[in-house]
Amino acid sequence: MKNYKVITPLFPTYAQVKAMMKAVSGYSIKSVRNMINAIHEQTGTPQNPVDWSDPDNWITERLKGEEAEIAKRIWEMDEHVLNPRHSYGCYLFLNYPLFKLMESTLSDIWQPTERGNLFLVDDEVTLRWLDDQEGLLQLLELLASRELSKRADLLPEWQAFLNQYSKFASASSIKSTLYSRLYNLIDRKMVSREGASYQITDTGRKWLSKALPTKNTDPRKELLDAVKRYNQQQKELLREQISTMNPYKFEHLIAQLLEALGYEHVEVTKASGDKGVDVVGQVQVGITTITEVVQVKRMQNTITRPYIDQLRGALPYHKAIRGTLITTGKFAASCADAAMFPGAAPITLIDGDRLLEMLIENNVGMRRSNAVELLDVDLQLFDELDIEA
């Protein structure tokens, strides 16, 4: 029989589960379910949406009797860690038979089990068992083999794990299960988040080392992990170089990138009289050769719309029909609409992360080494040779 893992669809934080357990202990499971249903029935409409942001107000306005009493206990438990509006995920987690965190007595009272009480006091064996059942240990393993990871970087291996151990198969469920478990680990200080990237913390590594069984050393995996770490270090070194290099040299670096991308007649403009343009090049689009102008900004500040307007205004001076704005920093949210404004010349936006990717992809500022050679025995060949004489 298949050993399913990653079971809970609306996976909560453990802090939220604990608050729910303590709040609903002593009530019947039917009463808790009635409270959840009473909340969900109040969906509102697009024209008249329901505001759930302030439980202190909506609990007394929309719930009555025992339902309001339970919701208020949930909200007030453990310094408002759980909004009752979002208690359904905790309910599913507590009510799942395999976990056995709560049970109903003969008098129909829902209360913590022996395992539930161990969970409430952060028993390590209990928490690690739950982590294993819900895929958190697998997720920590994925993060431990990387320096920084975006969710998109983790998705392929997370999906492979779910295909083997879980019933979740749709793209949306795969993404939501990954995000909710990352959030759980962040709440427990085992994972940190920097922008859109995630990283395992020392607390997470310590927890993982105690949770996983000792494995035989795999030299190939160790080598590949070392290569990944080395490559990440080199990427960060490249990022540091382009962030600190001389601005004029940076313009020449972008010119080399354009040539690597297939542009011709690439020129770095003079320091004066360029109308805000730093590099000019020509590129073949179908049967037409067009001129494109590039403005580069080696800065960590956020680029705003005026820079786009300035570059677009300089296009006629160079007989160009489109432009590109490159920065080592970021673009403000409003820039995306301004860059593709209807009826105006298009402006391509390349931020620091994308620039780094393009430099690496086109071997500009980064060399690829073939120094590592891996030998693998061709077992299939030996199987084919295993025939009777």
Side-chain angles (χ1 to χ4, degrees):
M1 183 177 178
K2 191 171 184 177
N3 179 25
Y4 286 113
K5 295 185 178 182
V6 189
I7 299 159
T8 309
L10 304 174
F11 191 65
T13 68
Y14 288 166
Q16 291 172 331
V17 176
K18 291 175 187 175
M20 180 85 166
M21 287 181 72
K22 289 182 280 188
V24 303
S25 294
Y27 293 91
S28 70
I29 190 170
K30 181 180 179 181
S31 297
V32 177
R33 198 163 51 237
N34 287 342
M35 182 272 300
I36 293 173
N37 290 337
I39 293 174
H40 284 192
E41 287 171 357
Q42 304 181 53
T43 56
T45 65
Q47 295 75 23
N48 186 27
V50 178
D51 182 8
W52 299 100
S53 60
D54 188 0
D56 285 320
N57 288 326
W58 67 254
I59 290 176
T60 56
E61 292 175 355
R62 300 169 195 163
L63 300 178
K64 303 297 181 184
E66 191 176 49
E67 295 166 2
E69 183 180 308
I70 295 173
K72 186 176 181 181
R73 280 180 57 85
I74 292 173
W75 174 236
E76 294 179 348
M77 190 63 63
D78 293 345
E79 299 181 354
H80 300 170
V81 72
L82 177 61
N83 186 326
R85 168 64 175 171
H86 307 299
S87 58
Y88 184 54
C90 293
Y91 168 80
L92 292 177
F93 192 86
L94 292 172
N95 201 38
Y96 190 69
L98 176 64
F99 296 159
K100 296 180 180 177
L101 295 179
M102 295 191 74
E103 62 184 358
S104 293
T105 65
L106 294 176
S107 56
D108 198 27
I109 298 299
W110 209 26
Q111 64 182 21
T113 61
E114 180 180 354
R115 177 181 287 168
N117 284 318
L118 291 172
F119 173 77
L120 285 171
V121 297
D122 292 329
D123 175 68
E124 290 192 0
V125 174
T126 301
L127 293 181
R128 288 197 181 98
W129 179 80
L130 287 169
D131 284 350
D132 180 47
Q133 291 297 319
E134 285 295 337
L136 275 74
L137 297 183
Q138 174 69 18
L139 189 50
L140 284 174
E141 271 198 285
L142 294 180
L143 289 166
S145 64
R146 297 168 165 84
E147 292 297 321
L148 284 172
S149 301
K150 295 182 179 179
R151 290 205 299 274
D153 300 328
L154 300 169
L155 271 176
E157 291 177 83
W158 180 250
Q159 180 175 1
F161 174 72
L162 293 186
N163 289 341
Q164 184 176 0
Y165 290 105
S166 176
K167 295 182 180 180
F168 292 112
S170 69
S172 60
S173 64
I174 291 169
K175 290 179 181 178
S176 64
T177 54
L178 173 62
Y179 177 77
S180 61
R181 281 151 186 80
L182 282 170
Y183 190 82
N184 178 292
L185 292 170
I186 291 173
D187 188 66
R188 296 159 65 192
K189 305 296 188 293
M190 294 185 183
V191 171
S192 62
R193 178 176 179 177
E194 298 178 18
S197 298
Y198 300 83
Q199 185 176 35
I200 188 171
T201 63
D202 291 340
T203 301
R205 290 185 184 278
K206 183 178 179 181
W207 183 257
L208 181 63
S209 66
K210 293 181 178 180
L212 295 178
T214 303
K215 298 181 180 180
N216 294 329
T217 301
D218 183 350
R220 182 186 178 91
K221 185 177 185 303
E222 289 185 347
L223 175 59
L224 293 176
D225 288 344
V227 170
K228 285 182 181 178
R229 290 194 298 271
Y230 177 81
N231 287 345
Q232 185 62 40
Q233 290 173 356
Q234 292 301 302
K235 289 178 183 178
E236 293 307 315
L237 178 59
L238 177 59
R239 186 190 299 275
E240 181 181 345
Q241 287 294 317
I242 64 176
S243 297
T244 58
M245 69 189 302
N246 178 279
Y248 189 63
K249 289 184 178 180
F250 182 54
E251 294 170 5
H252 280 271
L253 177 71
I254 298 303
Q256 291 187 39
L257 175 59
L258 291 181
E259 291 176 344
L261 290 168
Y263 285 71
E264 298 178 344
H265 307 296
V266 178
E267 294 183 7
V268 176
T269 63
K270 296 180 180 179
S272 62
D274 58 12
K275 304 299 181 181
V277 170
D278 300 308
V279 186
V280 181
Q282 293 182 338
V283 64
Q284 192 79 19
V285 179
I287 61 173
T288 304
T289 299
I290 67 172
T291 299
E292 183 166 352
V293 298
V294 180
Q295 185 180 59
V296 297
K297 294 294 182 182
R298 191 184 60 77
M299 55 193 293
Q300 297 306 311
N301 296 334
T302 299
I303 296 292
T304 54
R305 177 166 182 162
Y307 289 97
I308 297 174
D309 296 334
Q310 177 190 15
L311 178 58
R312 185 173 280 134
L315 296 185
Y317 294 97
H318 299 271
K319 298 180 180 179
I321 64 172
R322 71 183 192 188
T324 296
L325 184 55
I326 300 176
T327 178
T328 53
K330 300 288 185 183
F331 290 99
S334 60
C335 287
D337 291 336
M340 301 302 293
F341 194 81
I347 304 295
T348 301
L349 305 180
I350 299 176
D351 65 11
D353 291 338
R354 179 57 185 148
L355 174 59
L356 200 68
E357 293 173 0
M358 294 177 69
L359 290 170
I360 294 170
E361 289 169 1
N362 293 279
N363 300 317
V364 177
M366 184 76 79
R367 294 193 301 267
R368 296 181 184 275
S369 172
N370 297 319
V372 177
E373 180 183 24
L374 294 179
L375 301 178
D376 290 303
V377 176
D378 187 354
L379 296 176
Q380 182 178 356
L381 173 63
F382 286 92
D383 289 340
E384 294 172 351
L385 295 175
D386 187 18
I387 59 176
E388 295 182 2

